[in-house]
Amino acid sequence: MVGSPEILRSIRIENHFAKDREAHVDLGTTSGGIPIMIDRRFAEADLKIVTGLVEPHFMAGYSGGRKVVSPGVAYQDTILMFHRAKILEHCKAANCVIEGNPLHNEQMEIVRATGGVVAVNVVIDERRRLGFVNSAKSKPPTLWPLHS
């Protein structure tokens, strides 16, 4: 997935294991009752960089951005809570809907709890060619672009 042997030689790359409870830190709970359990390495990093592909998502509105943090580096209990009926059945948990989307709102709370994040998101066309790149930096409680 990384693609470049030079990157592999110069940057440490590690996998996230969502089922390893000890590898996650408890950052509290969202206002909707979702536990904020995030990979310890990510939560404790001095610089947090996430990369994502932005496209419509059936219940989060769009992928990329905050989805790279949660569920991206979240513990399984956090991830499973995103799929409960309260969120799945909500009328605004739908493709291309951000305003009032309960999943989006929960994910944004989780991003804010992790601290400052640098995000690089891309949009590709139907032939998977790069169409747009957006980067943004957040520091809590500022929101950052998620679907440019």
Side-chain angles (χ1 to χ4, degrees), residues 30-134:
T30 67
S31 60
I34 294 179
I36 305 172
M37 302 288 292
I38 298 294
D39 186 287
R40 182 177 311 281
R41 295 166 297 185
F42 184 82
E44 295 175 356
D46 293 330
L47 175 62
K48 300 172 185 77
I49 302 173
V50 299
T51 61
L53 170 66
V54 178
E55 60 187 355
H57 186 277
F58 76 102
M59 64 186 223
Y62 293 92
S63 62
R66 81 270 186 239
K67 282 186 55 49
V68 179
V69 175
S70 189
V73 291
Y75 181 57
Q76 68 180 356
D77 291 359
T78 301
I79 297 167
L80 291 172
M81 291 292 283
F82 291 152
H83 299 89
R84 60 190 172 159
K86 179 181 177 181
I87 291 176
L88 282 172
E89 295 175 355
H90 194 282
C91 65
K92 296 217 173 174
N95 273 323
C96 305
V97 177
I98 293 294
E99 191 69 35
N101 185 318
L103 178 54
H104 169 77
N105 294 340
E106 294 290 320
Q107 289 171 318
M108 289 305 300
E109 283 190 52
I110 292 170
V111 167
R112 286 190 295 274
T114 65
V117 176
V118 176
V120 178
N121 289 294
V122 300
V123 177
I124 58 175
D125 67 15
E126 62 280 350
R127 291 176 36 204
R128 304 199 59 79
R129 295 177 304 188
L130 187 62
F132 184 79
V133 177
N134 172 269

